[in-house]
Amino acid sequence: MHWTGAAAVISALLQASCASRDVFSDPGINVDKWHSATRKANALITQLNITEKAGLLTGNLLNLTCGGIINAIPRVDFPGLCLQDGPAGIRTADLASVFTAGISIGATWDPELIYERGRALGEEFRGKGAHVILGPATGPLGRIPLGGRNWEGFSVDPYLAGIATSATVRGIQDSGVQACTKHYVGNEQETQRTLGLAKGVSVDAISSNIDDRTLHELYIWPFADAVRAGTLSIMCSYNRLNSTYACEDDHTLNGILKEELGFKGYVMSDWFATHSGAKAANAGLDMNMPGPVDQYNFTNSYFGPNLVRAVQSGNVSAERLDDMVRRVLTPYFYLGQDKDYPTIDPSGLFVTLAALSYSPSAFSIPDDTPLPPARDVRADHAALIRNHGAAGTVLLKNTKHTLPLKAPRTIAVFGNDAADLSRGSAVPLGAAYAPPQGVPMGVQVMGGGAGSGRLSYVVSPLEALRARAASSNHSMSIQYVTDNSVVANADFSGIYPFPDVCLVFLKTYAAETIDRTSFEADWNSTAVVNSVASYCPSRKTVVVTHSAGINTMPWADNPNVTAILAAHYPGQEAGNSIVDILFGDVNPSGHLPYTIARNETDYNTEVFNVTDPAQVTDAAAWQSDFTEGLLIDYRHFDANAITPLYEFGFGLSYTIFELTGKVNVRPVHGQRTISVFPPKVKENSPGGNPNLWKTLFAVTVKVRNTGDVAGSAVPQLYLSQPRSTVPAGTPMKVLRGFDKVYLKAGEERNVSFPLMRRDMSFWDVGASDWRLPRGEYIVRVGFSSRDIRMEGTIRV
Ligand code: NOJ
């Protein structure tokens, strides 16, 4: 195995447009370095007494300097660990950046940019003295279109999500910060995500009931990529899995994560997601967060003194205790965090307290308290974020040559999402940001909860458009109505002269702890669009959505709606990112990481709810059966021949791409017959049996830019396994390759997709292994899941 550092990743990516999958399937852990870190951890362990060992495994909730704290042990020079949310910026810090959300960077389909974001994120966390970023998030995967946290992750497709997770982990850890990939696993809805009280009775969390094949092929898949990439930590989730709490589930923690996937780092609980001591420790939980309290009892802890007692009474073995400590300490030494690590920035705590002190229900800190100095860690990341936001914007419709805009004299701008924020930027805490719709006025650049950040500034679309107008010496004028009720009531009397084009900005809020309730964008969006589309004198209305993900668009076929852009959650540079696209400074290249249906009823999965949660006292009432198995999102649309509005993988450009020649398939396995199961190894390495990661075939196509401007294409490979030898429930086709290829006008390049053993196999429940079905595979290559341009076959 070898270390894949930043330089290697980037240079390999630059050398060949075909290399992304190869690079991101390399192991991310350097074995020699790991062994040396383990030796250091072992040496430290020998100096610790049992109480100190237990102390390394539970947080200190009373210390609010970071989102999570592992206490220092000064006697042995251990400075403690600082854990911060995550995953798109430091949640409670000031002078830190708010990056593009997971769903935005996922929509770029660009591993290089995703890596770059991870690296920049890591630099900021390091700069603030955080040892661990609580991210990336790849659970929820997005099974439920209205899932409240889908936007924190990258895509509903495990293959795309897996590569994005891998690239993010590598970026973060290459900057010296530990990634904590979350939430493992099955945390697909926020409603009853953890246990609650109904009429004073404790009612268990939702149980995600998932069969073994679906678990492997969908929900655990991107976590396997994270482990392969070397994630040093994994956060177990709130929910139950097949009736066992995820943080005490021996099957998925010990069985799958640690044995099958060879994960050597530590499993940390989500906040208050631990529900037992010895049981959880023996099932594979290594660290209890935030400690030292449980859900209801602010003096007790499932770990801490309780763990000490469990070891003393023999309920947890001394070896297991040392294993837990070793798992926590080795990553710290592995990344060299014992040397010259920045101290914890003092502002984090203060930022949190200050926000609490001025929220309606909170304690107060005196007004004359001096502000602690905050370290500015933003560096030149604004430029990256601007670029990432534009790259994650998907052009869905563009008729009548509407975009890019060419020197319009008057632009009319509509919608509350175009405006500056009118209630401050404290998204993490302010009551004003309450779901379901968030604040009435201001651009939505991220969602709420743990995944949000504190904006040190935000560029609204209006601000960026006005700056553009100013730079044209005001030969272009910007007029606007940002009050949605005025727009919906078709009061356009304030707009003159008649605009050359109308821009409508819509937003959709989502936040941790609650699932979305509406498919359409918020704030009366459909009335707003219809109203502008029938008014706009030029008959050119452009709709831009800033959104957590899936929206239905009942107005999409309106002929006066001539362009649609899904801009997702772009982060602090939102206005600049979208203006770059509108004026063609950046050619759109984002593609949908999910399916947009014509009707919301076309989706087959929804939030599980009981009729009246406050009255349901049956502890086991919350059962979500994942009966659709593998058939979520485009796989479901394919299986049931439902035509989507905009399919998974779809995205337009200002230029035109074509595939030329034919699909070329080359075996690279070097064997006469390929074994059905991966050859066994003595011990699985991170990511599982290394043979699963071996490339068996290379598929090559040629992509050409036949338009007249430069742009980036996203050729995609969808694989169909031999129908006769796969079990029922196998999707008709699945994404198993993609690349992002920059092409000048007229340029053509070869793109190669390596197919690994895991990509071609299915999880055989009986054999408990990945089986490569015999027969003929169909390889489909195109520019979306429905825009297939070429086919080839592979016989195994
Ligand atoms: C709960 C969230 O589920 C998790 O994502 C976050 O990291 C922790 N809280 C800490 O804030």
Side-chain angles (χ1 to χ4, degrees), residues 85 91 134 149 182-183 193 235 238 270-271 450 512:
D85 280 315
R91 181 184 187 183
L134 303 174
R149 299 186 79 177
K182 66 190 189 182
H183 307 84
R193 67 175 182 174
M235 186 188 290
Y238 283 122
D270 200 339
W271 270 229
E512 184 192 353

Side-chain angles (χ1 to χ4, degrees), residues 8 26 33 56 80 110 176 297 346 349 472 478 513 547 690 697 733 762:
D26 279 349
K33 232 175 113 188
L56 287 170
D110 187 337
N297 182 341
L349 167 67
S472 77
I478 307 289
T513 74
S547 170
F697 295 90
K733 63 176 189 293
F762 69 87

